[in-house]
Amino acid sequence: MTTLEPNRDQIEIFVEGMLRYCGNDGVVSLRAFYEGDSTKPFRITPVSLKGGLPFLIEAAEDDARRAANDPKPVVFCPPIAVCAPNGKAREIDLLEAPAFSIELDQNPRAALEGLVRLLGFPTLVVRSGGEWTNPTTGEVEDKLHAHYRLKEPARGTDIAKLKRARQLATAIVGGDPTIVPPPKPGPQPGPAPGGSRLNWDDAFGKIISGEQFHPVLTPLSASFAARAVPEMAALDVLRALLNNTQTTDPERMRRRDAELGKLKSTVRSGYEKFAATLTSGALFDPWQEFIVPPFPLDILPGPAHDFIATKSIAMGADPSALAMAELVAFSGAIHHRFRVKMMKNSDWYEHARLWVLLFGRSSWLKSPIMDSVLWPIRRAQADLQRGYQAALRDWKANGGEEADKPEPPERYIVGDTTIEKLGEILSRSDRGTLAEHDELTGWIGRMERYHTAGKGASADRAFYLRCWNGGPYTIDRVKTGEILIPNASLSIFGGIQPQRLDELQGLTSDGLLQRFAVVFMQAPKEPQDIDCTEATKAYAALVYELLNLRGQRFYLTDGAADAMAELQHHLHSLERVGAALTEAFEGHIGKLKAYAGVFTIILHLIANPKEAMKLSAIGRPSVEKATRLIKDFLLPHAYEFYSRSQGEGERLRRLASYVLTCGKDRLRLADFTNNCWDCRGKKVIEINQQVSPLVAGDWLAPLDPGPACRAWKVNRATIDQQFAARIATERQSKAAIAQLLGARRRT
């Protein structure tokens, strides 16, 4: 008999995708049940994370194989949580929740689209094995599970918040509320008025028997609310209980009918009092400069990783900025004839050129970061120049003829230069080069100033756009004639200060700005006195080794090509969101499709340059690392950058300012439309979208289910405590403006 084999690649992707950030002090319970009977386990295997994820993957593969080959149908459950090492897997035993997971069992395709609009694309989307039939069209769709991996697994009280967020998301995307896990038996229901626990069995029994109605309906509503059951679901349940009252007493039936008539207001009252459970912990600060994820340093191999880990501490520099600076230095060291075939059959190739923009304040060590990663390339360039100068001196001393004059060496790196000079430098070699600019706005300004009234600046920009694509290029000038460049290929590295961002906005029209991979820098920390000698030597040795490699063509293995296709599909789907994105950000996504190949080449070569040159194939791990870099790091940074350029951050701060200073515990839709300029003339759903960051940040809790909420509870106590100084500052500013304008000013 043929033995069925599980797809190990899929198991590995799921485990790595879900549990990557979990600690090693918990246990994952691998569970399998006979189909149709979740009470009868086929096999339960507790696996300690002390052995690492590879051990868990082996165990999961073995259990999946056993389940697949059992004579009876078995459902194998993917692991989505980590339990305490006590041998149990109850809700109270949860140690870590690594992801925000939602079952999409009702209208799954539309529900997933709603989730993407609300939260962005999930980390993983899994077919759960079931099917849903559209009652209108008869179309059959696969039921889905969507998983959003958290930057840090939820622990302790955060697990309850994650569960409530899951319930709310289920309601918002139109899922079936019954798929949200119900409270477990025992003393689980939420609090009744007065703080006592409500016995649901007793309360339900009193309604069905007709013994009591209002005295138990009110606490039941509050209990449903405290458990975050969607309000409409609670209303339906209580109405069903009342409709099934079993009594022949006319008076009790009269009271039952009266309760049915006012049931909606009874439930509403309970939800207003108990539904909005807000945290008392620290809230997110809209005035915080940048809120972006860190660079996934674990994708960098040995010397590259160790250099960032030690140098960032010694300098006090942002590790994410230093890591991206290192990658662009590698792209300058690598010959730009290195290329990778992006698909199995097409002729789409990408080369190793990379443009990186560090976005941060002037005092945030942009120049020291650039110096720290570029010095090996500068030293190698200086060695070439010294050799050339020595040869030139010998040629002159020997009275050499012009035909024997030494050729200037190829250039690894250039600084500020004109287009003509840069063209001359590139014409001497087909390896490409790296251009460094401390301040990119100065680079753009020089384009404008070099030509009278900006004339010719567009031609210079066209040249740089060409240098992003590479290939042969000819510069035609009246004075210098024709300059033939065999490979107009350029990596560019520079920085920009936030206050000078507006000076770059004109560059979005021709796509020059969107070609830069953007890094939002974090403020530097105090430098530490640690020894970086060995790590720096190893990094320099890696750069020198890359400089000496000759260009080569790579292709992707089947597994790597599949991973690349998945990434390209993800980016294409994000592009199709269209109007939900700023135009500039949408254009940047298209450039990330190319950078998928760039990062694949770089990460492949730096892992082991000598071994990489022996084979022309690149495996799946390099593509998966590039995928993580783009999806988990570059996309969020770019979204923040282009949102900032469109004023989204300022709009959010204006809304937060109103919430801070209004002093109210409860806000209605009219409060925002009357007092916040950004909400004037907006539809209900649009206002909900604008305040959604404050809801996600626990400033506000919606009192109505769904995306058309009209009232919110304000986390007043926590806001007043955490932002006391900000409240005073905001009120003073508004009072001063109102006095100057002679009238009340809207936020």
Side-chain angles (χ1 to χ4, degrees), residues 50 66 75 87 99 111 137 153 176 221 253 286 328 347 359 519 565 670 709 728 730 740-741:
K50 292 186 182 298
R66 293 170 185 264
V75 177
T137 65
D176 184 349
S221 299
M253 291 300 292
V328 77
D347 58 354
F359 186 76
V519 183
C709 179
E730 292 293 310
L740 288 171
L741 297 178

Side-chain angles (χ1 to χ4, degrees), residues 395 400-407:
W395 175 77
E401 298 181 3
E402 189 65 26
D404 298 325
K405 185 177 181 179
E407 290 288 334

Side-chain angles (χ1 to χ4, degrees), residues 277-346:
T277 305
L278 288 156
T279 182
S280 58
L283 306 179
F284 99 98
D285 186 351
W287 287 270
Q288 182 179 333
E289 192 74 35
F290 312 131
I291 308 172
V292 286
F295 187 99
L297 291 178
D298 59 299
I299 70 172
L300 298 175
H305 176 277
D306 295 345
F307 177 71
I308 302 302
T310 56
K311 197 68 175 178
S312 61
I313 295 174
M315 295 175 61
D318 174 24
S320 296
L322 196 60
M324 281 302 293
E326 183 184 62
L327 289 181
V328 77
F330 289 146
S331 81
I334 294 171
H335 199 296
H336 286 191
R337 287 297 186 188
F338 274 105
R339 59 199 183 277
V340 61
K341 196 170 188 285
M342 297 289 285
M343 294 181 174
K344 296 177 183 178
N345 300 313
S346 78

Side-chain angles (χ1 to χ4, degrees), residues 303-319 322-323 326 365 368-369 371-373 375 526-528 530-533 535-537 539:
H305 176 277
D306 295 345
F307 177 71
I308 302 302
T310 56
K311 197 68 175 178
S312 61
I313 295 174
M315 295 175 61
D318 174 24
L322 196 60
E326 183 184 62
L365 306 181
I369 286 173
D371 292 339
S372 69
V373 299
W375 73 265
E526 184 176 358
Q528 302 296 315
I530 64 171
D531 186 2
C532 301
T533 304
T536 302
K537 285 182 179 178
Y539 166 70

